[in-house]
Amino acid sequence: MDERHLAELLDDVAAGRLSVPEAVDGLRSLPFEAVPDAKVDHHRELRTGQAEAIYGPGKTPAQIRDIARALCAQASGAVLLTRADAEQAAAALEAVPDATYDPRSGLVVLQRAPRADGRSVAVVAAGTSDLPVAEEAAGTAGALGLDVTRVEDVGVAGVHRVLAHRADLEAADCVIVVAGMEGALPSVVAGLTSRPVVAVPTSVGYGASFEGLAALLGMMSSCAPGVAVVNIDNGFGAALVAHRILRARER
Amino acid sequence: MDERHLAELLDDVAAGRLSVPEAVDGLRSLPFEAVPDAKVDHHRELRTGQAEAIYGPGKTPAQIRDIARALCAQASGAVLLTRADAEQAAAALEAVPDATYDPRSGLVVLQRAPRADGRSVAVVAAGTSDLPVAEEAAGTAGALGLDVTRVEDVGVAGVHRVLAHRADLEAADCVIVVAGMEGALPSVVAGLTSRPVVAVPTSVGYGASFEGLAALLGMMSSCAPGVAVVNIDNGFGAALVAHRILRARER
Amino acid sequence: MDERHLAELLDDVAAGRLSVPEAVDGLRSLPFEAVPDAKVDHHRELRTGQAEAIYGPGKTPAQIRDIARALCAQASGAVLLTRADAEQAAAALEAVPDATYDPRSGLVVLQRAPRADGRSVAVVAAGTSDLPVAEEAAGTAGALGLDVTRVEDVGVAGVHRVLAHRADLEAADCVIVVAGMEGALPSVVAGLTSRPVVAVPTSVGYGASFEGLAALLGMMSSCAPGVAVVNIDNGFGAALVAHRILRARER
Amino acid sequence: MDERHLAELLDDVAAGRLSVPEAVDGLRSLPFEAVPDAKVDHHRELRTGQAEAIYGPGKTPAQIRDIARALCAQASGAVLLTRADAEQAAAALEAVPDATYDPRSGLVVLQRAPRADGRSVAVVAAGTSDLPVAEEAAGTAGALGLDVTRVEDVGVAGVHRVLAHRADLEAADCVIVVAGMEGALPSVVAGLTSRPVVAVPTSVGYGASFEGLAALLGMMSSCAPGVAVVNIDNGFGAALVAHRILRARER
Amino acid sequence: MDERHLAELLDDVAAGRLSVPEAVDGLRSLPFEAVPDAKVDHHRELRTGQAEAIYGPGKTPAQIRDIARALCAQASGAVLLTRADAEQAAAALEAVPDATYDPRSGLVVLQRAPRADGRSVAVVAAGTSDLPVAEEAAGTAGALGLDVTRVEDVGVAGVHRVLAHRADLEAADCVIVVAGMEGALPSVVAGLTSRPVVAVPTSVGYGASFEGLAALLGMMSSCAPGVAVVNIDNGFGAALVAHRILRARER
Amino acid sequence: MDERHLAELLDDVAAGRLSVPEAVDGLRSLPFEAVPDAKVDHHRELRTGQAEAIYGPGKTPAQIRDIARALCAQASGAVLLTRADAEQAAAALEAVPDATYDPRSGLVVLQRAPRADGRSVAVVAAGTSDLPVAEEAAGTAGALGLDVTRVEDVGVAGVHRVLAHRADLEAADCVIVVAGMEGALPSVVAGLTSRPVVAVPTSVGYGASFEGLAALLGMMSSCAPGVAVVNIDNGFGAALVAHRILRARER
Amino acid sequence: MDERHLAELLDDVAAGRLSVPEAVDGLRSLPFEAVPDAKVDHHRELRTGQAEAIYGPGKTPAQIRDIARALCAQASGAVLLTRADAEQAAAALEAVPDATYDPRSGLVVLQRAPRADGRSVAVVAAGTSDLPVAEEAAGTAGALGLDVTRVEDVGVAGVHRVLAHRADLEAADCVIVVAGMEGALPSVVAGLTSRPVVAVPTSVGYGASFEGLAALLGMMSSCAPGVAVVNIDNGFGAALVAHRILRARER
Amino acid sequence: MDERHLAELLDDVAAGRLSVPEAVDGLRSLPFEAVPDAKVDHHRELRTGQAEAIYGPGKTPAQIRDIARALCAQASGAVLLTRADAEQAAAALEAVPDATYDPRSGLVVLQRAPRADGRSVAVVAAGTSDLPVAEEAAGTAGALGLDVTRVEDVGVAGVHRVLAHRADLEAADCVIVVAGMEGALPSVVAGLTSRPVVAVPTSVGYGASFEGLAALLGMMSSCAPGVAVVNIDNGFGAALVAHRILRARER
């Protein structure tokens, strides 16, 4: 796209339809749209396969409304707002009336991508308390057009529970594992399946879990090679990783 | 496989070819081989698509020799020894004479997987000092049968260098990004390409890089969604993640 | 139990009462019960001697109600809900009307184990501010059927206070020591008695106690060998450790 | 000034206009004014080119009122109150009625410096959520008499956005870069421009950003030499650094 | 003992065999022996059931020799020197010729306790690289008179390996679990057995394992209640905990 | 005192006024008083020169009332309650009607020691925001009977302010220095005076001050030998240290 | 330059001297030179005013030789190699025979910039042990063409020493302050002068200085606004910051 | 002294013996002596009662020789070199032939203060491994002219050992307590004695002691008020604190 655009511009110069200073300006012209307080990066979808998402915290409702409108006007796939509080979600729903809001995870789906054939992800949660993060992952993955299977409450203190789901793990194309406390579930899962494992540490736990640090370091140090980790409580990010993985070998 | 094995065993019970106590024993029989000081997990290749690797540090040369022999006797794909020092590498080469050793990364390739068609990975290093870790990733990926493209010295202080490689990034099926210091390169790469990005923080840097902590936290906190992170200096692990990704949608 | 179950199933296969596919399904059948959002691990009591406990934080009242009911329907021993807030406790009491709730520690005892003969634990608290954690330990231990002796406010700044309780320490079968700030009491206690010492660091203190980190590191680094440590403020976990210890040599 | 004052005093001694004990006292006499609970350092403006600022947190409204009045009575340049909450701001506005208050950053401009010719600073923010910190920097810089250009939402996930502003960066005399999460923007900016780069890590982000620690360590470890860093969320401090820089070669 | 000693002394006073000042002195007299640079606490064996051990690091060979001789002259049970280097071990062997030295763990057994009937401990190691720490635990437990079963290389990446040892775990009276990297094995073991589980984090691993911190925090935060933790690499301490546990209900 | 008490008891035994078993009991009898939930250590005043203080956080109003009454009934010197909130302070004032409460520091003075002749302490605060901590130090020191001089707002950004107070520093017998942010003032003060310097880091500051960690580490690492440090925000502890110092050479 | 180059290229297209595909290629052509294992960023000097420096650690002598030759062949200003060990320095001197090497700081000056008129920097070191870092700063600044004044051993424990150098501080255009331990000197210096202050924490100190962390956090938290900080022991980086500052208002 | 010097200078101005510019210069003249690479602060002894000490690490033998000579030429009291290695000690002994060197602590006593009457300090070490740090404290205190009593190996695992030394503690004017691992001894000592307690955490211990961090945080968080803490392993600093304490009430 960028290259086609560049070639056209140069054609115009070669044909005299564009002066050199105009071309310099044109080459400077930005593949983003300035709204108040933000630069909406419309080309991100072209470059990375997924439109820019709006990170809620620290933004005013007005900023969210403006950015949501600008993104939805141009994006062909999913458009998401993350970590929204009630007031921010209301602003988003005002801008995009058929958006949906999940208050436990703070995820607002402003626009959904078309359903992708044959791309499935299993979202596995170690405990019931990890479900809000798992829901952010599952909700995001669904909005991105992926098939989502949920497996919940299969922590390592009862390891037979996850063993019982081996077929589910292998049936998915990619596995997202959400776990707090010691964060050991991804190591067990990665030892059971050949699928890519995206691990999400959560801040569930207290004391020496230090807001998810224990799970984060544990997942990083996993004895099972093939585990890739995203930020603490970052279900959204895990779904984006899965989305990239499932298009890895496409052109 | 496990299930086929189970069904066969149960068939034998049903047919009276196996008594119930024998079946209980058979179900107990372990899919691993005991060598001195280790249990070689031969089924890991079946379960996860890649044989157990030998982690060098803390093992005696004799332990390494025994495990290397046991793994190579059974594995059909790649067999690797990581972080080997010279003495450990010598023991491995004694056990498997046509193994290869890269002293800068400590990687010993004991056995190589057959070449996989159409599975390629780009290994991108931010600086020349990150090359030993990048080499561990590239050497592992090659042994796993993947096509490897190397892109080196494209750190963000001269961001045009990585921009110049956009086509290389998009041409690969998966991108491994190796960076120390502030570890910013994966964010830039993930913003440029739609490919899965596996980030490897390195311990390159001094002072406030705190042996790779700065890069690790930075990659975790990346503003570009779709970055998955492995342990500090863990080029081996990044290649294993890439290997899983590239078989994600296969049956 | 698992093995008996397995033998019966195989007998059924051998006797033709069960087809091979049915047996495969049966072997797959899970020793847990699926309630909405959770998998209640009923076999945990059989495996570990103590039923699964419900960790309150992050769960909805409805989830707590469902899990509480499912556990109490099957468990023969104690059933506990930890760290419950008032709303969660109300949901638990709705499900199990004769449960008891201690608001300072957040412990809900849903069901009590029968009293065990001759198994006693001393719960020693360094300061009055550590009492909520000590109470979680004592309340849990009591619900598990243990005899509980409480010794409170015997911190090391007045070391004669704990010396005065030496007989109490030795009279118990196991000693739980709860201490915040510098967490030094377990070292002194372990030097005075031959009993197992389970240390619980608390988050009591300010500044450089860093929410219990000082006590945790101190207890870990104790100069008195024979101190085992659980998580910060984890009175519940300490009681579970004591429970295991007091059945250590039983069959 | 100090030296002139000293010379005059010594002249008075030499001329007999001042006795030796009086001179000792005079040399002792303090270049600050005692108000209740504070010592207003009126000479700081003479020594450092900028009057003492009032740091809000922990101060009572009455203390703020007294210090504000004392500073404004003597300072010739800007006088600022930082991190003020609404009650503190009200006290300041009572003392200095034409002060201005920005509630998002907490900055109160009590008195503005005259406009400086030809001293410009660009304040660059990585994301919209970083704007309150950027606003503290811009508001402070403006009060100090500098020309301020704002560039916002140019984070590294869409690196073309900052490339499009290269001319703006080079046009400024000094660049302040405000970024949270992985804090990578200063490295990219410092690689693009020859201007001094003052980096401000922000606490924007969650999980492994650890309240700005990830950005702080990243900026410290920048692979682009020539980046100088101030405290997390310290837009005020960055503007003060810029102010010093822009007078660096003046006498 | 202390009380008997006290009663005798008071009897002597009552009988006029001891003057009051002599009694004061006697009450002052210390239940330890002063050797150069140390106070050998001979009563520790009486109080805690196990004689003082010698911690090697930082002590001179001469100090070790003196303390070893003094302890062996009085102790009736095991006497141990930990973390000894070759020179320290030589000094200990000079003092106690039939001592034994394990150079990998640094453990010197100066004197062994008599064999205890029916007290057994299983020492479970996650990986071959964890064996030196497991050996310190096993060697200490053996010297304390316990029966020791070793289970090695059963890390969670191949969870069937530990499942295959469930009978071994349950057959022991107490289980010591030694694991580095993410330290997840104790959670799995505690979910499988009713025995007390003593967890030892090791410094095996690199990068984000931060010298055992990842394993330590993970074990602390274990989702399986009933796990008690000792210091990083502290196999010796784990054995002492097991020793106390196995005498818990004895008088 | 303890020894006198011991000698008297032994005299009674020698004189037949006390039987041996009674003496054993007497020696066992504890120098503390049990109130509900606490053991009031009345001998602490005898041993350490200062009665036990009540640490407020985590205690119920009823517990505070009971402990306050018990301490005031026996202590001859100062009795203090620290970090009290309004409800706790009310309970203390109910127990001891003429107590005084300082809401900013949370200090309740339940009973004052008699004024000590010729023992003076200077309490030096770096900034106005540090005053609540300085007030806790000054209020405690005053209650302990010391003369207190306050020096405030003399931070190192205007180092002449503290230079102007050199005489005040030297006139005091001991100097308490309270500082947040970088915590540099104790180094400067210790370089100016020969008096003992007790440094109190405060949690004043934001971002990289990490709740007082920056000041704590800085004071620990002071280049000026002779600085002793207490806990973050621990004005109370600093006053207790000063109190000990000022009686150092008395008998 | 870039823009001029772009305009020329477009002129060539407009004039038919260059075809559109050739222009696309030309726009793609990279402003860097590929040597083995590195991409020498020759345009960095044009963009940032200073050529890329070679960071020694982790590079082979051959890599250093190649990069050094490539940089010196094109750079018009200073070319530097940092943190070189003896072997790396020898390789650099082989490539550039008139380079100079300072073994204490590891700095190799491969090429010097012409002397700049009227740009001066003062390098102030708190202690003699900080001199290697100060020397790296001074050596770098000199190579960049700046006038360097050294002020050494003026730590805050004797604050009159730095007061005695106030004129030197004010005479310089910019001040670099190098300090370990508590790192307080920059706060004092910034309170004395109006010049920009670039602070360098060093790893000098032990224990709680934690390899420079104490100084780093302290400088970050400085109560004196206007302090900008670089990485621990990063004298090189401080000089680069000073270099940018001294050209801040030039065109 | 400073003031006398100032008065004389002003007398000279008043008497016309000194011109005003000369006086300005004279006031500038520094109370320190410049030797190569250092400014020997001869006035520190006058201001603080103790001459500047030489911190060995990072200094060359030549620097140490020069500073040692300069200090000994002027100091009337003790002169010390700390943390010296063998080469540095040799340089010091060359400069000051009758100096003494303790290789375990690295302390070189270049010059001793006269013996002080009636000022005594007890140096208490928790374990034999803490003796090098205790020796640095005792050696420094002795050189400063204090009476030193050593009490060693009285750690809290055998708390009766320190109880047996209560009279020694109370007999001293000040108590230095040196402890590694959990660092609990100062709390116990401070609860036993009314003397000032200076606590020195040591780096003795492993794993979770994190090079002395556990002991440092523990001592900071001590439940016994009246404990003041110095840096990890800083026996020298503790002796300096004791020295100040013992002169606290002198004029």
Side-chain angles (χ1 to χ4, degrees), chain D residues 157-181:
Chain D
V159 78
H160 61 294
R161 295 181 296 189
V162 68
L163 294 175
H165 282 281
R166 281 173 68 169
D168 292 329
L169 300 178
E170 204 61 29
D173 294 315
C174 178
V175 183
I176 292 172
V177 185
V178 179
M181 299 183 175

Side-chain angles (χ1 to χ4, degrees), chain C residues 156-157 159 163 181-182 184 187-188 191 208-210 213-214 217-218 220-224, chain H residues 156-157 159 163 181-182 184 187-188 191 208-210 213-214 217-218 220-224:
Chain C
V156 300
V159 79
L163 294 176
M181 298 180 176
E182 79 273 56
S187 297
V188 172
S209 86
F210 289 120
L213 180 65
L217 296 181
M220 276 287 149
S221 304
S222 173
C223 63
Chain H
V156 299
V159 78
L163 294 175
M181 298 181 175
E182 80 273 57
S187 297
V188 173
S209 87
F210 288 119
L213 180 64
L217 296 182
M220 275 288 150
S221 303
S222 174
C223 62

Side-chain angles (χ1 to χ4, degrees), chain D residues 85-173:
Chain D
D85 59 26
E87 192 187 8
Q88 293 172 323
L93 285 161
E94 188 191 319
V96 185
D98 55 350
T100 60
Y101 176 49
D102 173 45
R104 292 203 81 193
S105 65
L107 182 70
V108 176
V109 178
L110 295 157
Q111 190 173 291
R112 305 183 72 82
R115 181 74 176 291
D117 281 341
R119 288 174 182 163
S120 65
V121 62
V123 177
V124 182
T128 305
S129 298
D130 298 314
L131 285 180
V133 176
E135 195 47 43
E136 190 187 51
T140 301
L144 293 167
L146 307 179
D147 275 345
V148 178
T149 307
R150 283 169 175 83
V151 179
E152 65 221 358
D153 200 17
V154 292
V156 299
V159 78
H160 61 294
R161 295 181 296 189
V162 68
L163 294 175
H165 282 281
R166 281 173 68 169
D168 292 329
L169 300 178
E170 204 61 29
D173 294 315

Side-chain angles (χ1 to χ4, degrees), chain E residues 108-185:
Chain E
V108 176
V109 178
L110 295 157
Q111 190 173 290
R112 305 183 72 82
R115 181 71 177 291
D117 281 340
R119 287 175 184 162
S120 64
V121 62
V123 178
V124 182
T128 304
S129 298
D130 299 313
L131 285 180
V133 176
E135 195 47 44
E136 190 188 52
T140 301
L144 293 168
L146 308 178
D147 276 343
V148 179
T149 307
R150 285 170 175 82
V151 179
E152 65 223 358
D153 200 15
V154 292
V156 300
V159 79
H160 61 296
R161 296 181 297 188
V162 70
L163 294 175
H165 282 280
R166 282 175 65 169
D168 292 329
L169 300 177
E170 204 61 28
D173 295 315
C174 178
V175 184
I176 292 171
V177 184
V178 180
M181 298 180 176
E182 79 274 57
L185 189 56

Side-chain angles (χ1 to χ4, degrees), chain A residues 3 6-7 10-11 14, chain G residues 9 13 18-29:
Chain A
E3 236 162 89
L6 179 61
L10 291 168
D11 277 335
Chain G
L9 185 143
V13 173
L18 204 67
S19 72
V20 166
E22 284 170 327
V24 171
D25 271 4
L27 286 166
R28 274 259 188 82
S29 80

Side-chain angles (χ1 to χ4, degrees), chain B residues 177-233:
Chain B
V177 184
V178 180
M181 300 181 174
E182 79 272 57
L185 188 57
S187 297
V188 173
V189 168
L192 288 176
T193 175
S194 65
R195 297 301 168 196
V197 175
V198 183
V200 190
T202 75
S203 55
V204 169
Y206 55 90
S209 88
F210 289 120
E211 300 295 320
L213 179 64
L216 168 60
L217 296 181
M219 290 173 179
M220 276 287 150
S221 305
S222 173
C223 62
V227 174
V229 189
V230 297
N231 200 352
I232 298 165
D233 291 339

